């Protein structure tokens, strides 16, 4: 099956490192660890990567590694400068990161920045590039749910503007580090509670901090189950986000790039607003974007 | 100076325990520890209290202790049931807590509950009672800043309704447990940044989650100082709270019961809306309320 074009695609975020063994555009194998950028000093990146990929190397031949995400931040392996929007999401050669192993040629994709209002992304630009590679005619809006959910306006193959919400990180901080943890001490989910909370959050986004305490009071006084409380918490946060992102999604084609429960929640919330939204798998878009980034290398190994 | 009427007033919250040695209505001494309700099992409350107050006891005579706050929750020393609003903030005899020391007679003030929308308070009812004891003709709104800020509508000596915001806890969770911690790694405050953020939060409360990430991006791209970022974070949260609490404060007399930087921030934000707000010291109101609660004991020791 090999086309004799081996390389490694890497998604390296703050808390996770994922590596894919590629053969041209074909996925051959995958590996992951929790050695995210956030826990590593600069000289620890190469060992963390090699622990994942050395088992895949069958010779000492030069091997290209193309990575995206927080690995390119100032605290990362190498700082890959932000490119200013409007621009194509991935259009310049990635930045070379220094490695001890002379056969390892590591490249990091640049992030994007918006000067007004100030905003940044690292990693999502690669997913957007992958999505646009597969959907070159797409004009509309991409929603990329995550720790920091991004909404990106796409026109003529360029990211025109984008807007980041701290919704995912808010959910995690509220669930783990506030009084709400006592009301979320069992798993579960309730679709009806989610739908009602999205509608309420969209209609009364300013009431968020009061609604949050209302979740605690609803547990204490009405015995609301953790499944209901969790779905309401998510719904209130996503509803408030949709209220603020309305200029992005109203009347435009919307695609969600994500996976798992979080993407499903956004899909459901958008569907409740009468939108027909398409879902693109985040990992597949990341790999497709890294394939495009690799095509920009001026001296690939093969 | 002693009137021979010794007792102990206690404010026992989730994270802090404070005790005041009282002589009738006069404050004689104070003591505090971080043995809050949240870290104690039921049999650890009495030792935690005695560690603070045993040095004040000059005889084995019976001694009344009147406490308010989370010490009366289900996880506290004794569960003091919620009383439903509308009602006077402190109007029934506090609940007796069991103690090993037969000379220690411990009483816990009941909290308040509101059934629709569901809401609860423990501790603030005592501050409200203290405020109304000193201002018996007050009709209007009390704002009680804290981990969970309360807005209470007061009429004819009763709490008519109240609304809790998780603003203080949100600030702490965002500062301590999100990416914003990297932009808040030095002390400081900026009044102008606070004022602008309050105005923005009031006008666009739905944008909160986006504004939060904007604080991070503003640090990365514009080098905003921690003092500016901290004041903006506080201003965005308080501005959004004021937007939702508008039915409470618009056109009504408002008093803030609080202390320190947090109360000052609320006073400034309300002043920016053209309100002339009075400030009452939270600890003084707590003690005044506990004095009123003690007057309800059917068998005081003296």
């Amino acid at each position: 099956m090999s086309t004799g074009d081996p390389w490694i695609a890497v998604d390296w975020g703050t808390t996770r490192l994922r590596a894919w063994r590629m053969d041209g555009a074909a996925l051959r194998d995958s590996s992951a660890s929790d050695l995210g950028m956030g826990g590593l000093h600069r000289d620890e990146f190469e060992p963390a990567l090699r622990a994942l990929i050395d088992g895949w190397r069958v010779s000492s031949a030069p091997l290209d590694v193309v990575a995206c995400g927080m690995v390119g931040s100032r605290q990362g392996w190498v700082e890959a400068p932000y490119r200013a929007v409007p621009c194509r999401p991935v259009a310049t050669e990635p930045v070379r990161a220094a490695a001890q192993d002379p056969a390892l040629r590591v490249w990091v994709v640049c992030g994007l920045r918006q000067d007004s209002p100030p905003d940044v992304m690292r990693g999502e630009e690669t997913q957007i590039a992958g999505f646009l590679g597969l959907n070159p005619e797409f004009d509309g809006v991409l929603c990329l749910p995550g720790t920091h959910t991004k909404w990106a306006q796409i026109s003529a193959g360029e990211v025109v503007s984008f807007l980041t919400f701290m919704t995912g990180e808010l959910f995690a901080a509220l669930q783990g580090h506030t009084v709400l943890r006592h009301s979320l001490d069992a798993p579960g989910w309730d679709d009806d509670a989610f739908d009602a909370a999205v509608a309420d959050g969209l209609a009364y986004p300013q009431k968020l901090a009061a609604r949050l305490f209302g979740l605690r009071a609803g547990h204490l006084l009405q015995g609301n189950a953790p499944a209901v409380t969790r779905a309401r918490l998510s719904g209130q946060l996503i509803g408030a986000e949709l209220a603020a992102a309305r200029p992005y999604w109203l009347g435009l084609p919307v695609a969600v790039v994500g996976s798992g429960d979080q993407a499903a929640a956004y899909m459901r919330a958008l569907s409740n607003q009468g939108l027909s939204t398409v879902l693109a798998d985040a990992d597949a878009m990341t790999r497709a974007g890294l394939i495009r980034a690799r095509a920009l290398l001026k001296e690939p190994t093969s």
Side-chain angles (χ1 to χ4, degrees), chain A:
Chain A
M1 286 292 291
S2 172
T3 62
D5 182 18
W7 64 289
I8 309 291
V10 170
D11 181 10
W12 207 327
T14 302
T15 59
R16 292 269 291 168
L17 161 61
R18 276 143 3 117
W20 295 288
R21 182 166 74 86
M22 305 294 292
D23 191 358
L27 173 64
R28 298 300 186 206
D29 206 345
S30 67
S31 184
S33 83
D34 57 2
L35 292 174
M37 177 281 299
L40 297 177
H41 292 105
R42 187 149 288 186
D43 58 2
E44 297 172 323
F45 284 88
E46 185 176 350
L49 176 66
R50 292 191 54 177
L52 283 191
I53 70 168
D54 273 358
W56 295 337
R57 298 170 76 179
V58 292
S59 75
S60 58
L63 180 65
D64 283 341
V65 175
V66 184
C68 67
M70 292 301 287
V71 65
S73 71
R74 195 166 301 168
Q75 292 78 34
W77 191 340
V78 65
E79 185 172 3
Y82 295 114
R83 300 167 52 240
V85 296
C87 64
R88 285 191 289 148
V90 173
T92 61
E93 189 181 29
V95 173
R96 184 77 180 264
Q100 299 290 320
D101 179 344
L104 212 54
R105 298 159 41 104
V106 178
W107 309 86
V108 177
V109 177
C110 291
L112 300 185
R113 78 165 194 269
Q114 176 176 275
D115 290 328
S116 180
D119 213 327
V120 292
M121 68 166 70
R122 281 199 188 279
E124 295 89 352
E125 75 294 326
T126 302
Q127 297 181 335
I128 295 171
F131 181 87
L132 292 179
L134 299 168
N135 305 273
E137 303 304 317
F138 182 85
D139 261 52
V141 169
L142 294 181
C143 170
L144 302 104
T147 302
H148 301 149
T149 296
K150 311 278 180 185
W151 293 78
Q153 186 193 351
I154 307 297
S155 181
E158 291 194 329
V159 178
V160 178
S161 70
F162 62 100
L163 181 59
T164 304
F165 290 82
M166 212 182 272
T167 304
E169 195 165 25
L170 260 178
F171 183 90
L174 287 163
Q175 180 170 247
H177 299 286
T178 73
V179 70
L180 291 182
R181 68 187 184 279
H182 304 301
S183 302
L184 294 164
D185 54 2
W189 183 262
D190 183 305
D191 276 336
D192 292 339
F194 176 77
D195 292 345
V198 168
D200 181 76
L202 248 166
Y204 309 105
Q206 76 278 13
K207 297 193 178 180
L208 181 63
R211 295 293 197 245
L212 295 178
F213 191 79
L215 297 177
R216 176 62 179 156
H219 174 212
L220 289 173
L221 297 183
Q222 300 169 343
N224 289 337
V228 168
T229 302
R230 178 173 295 104
R232 283 194 185 155
L233 172 59
S234 174
Q236 290 286 346
L237 292 170
I238 291 177
E241 176 177 331
L242 291 188
R246 203 187 299 263
Y248 272 77
W249 55 262
L250 196 65
L252 289 172
V254 176
V256 172
V257 178
S259 62
D261 292 344
Q262 192 181 31
Y266 276 84
M267 291 291 288
R268 187 177 178 95
L270 288 164
S271 167
N272 288 354
Q273 309 319 312
L275 301 186
S276 62
T277 309
V278 297
L279 175 64
D281 180 70
D283 285 356
M285 296 307 106
T286 300
R287 286 192 299 269
L290 289 168
I291 290 168
R292 298 193 86 191
R294 180 178 179 241
L296 297 168
L297 298 184
K298 295 195 174 66
E299 304 172 46
T301 55
S302 53

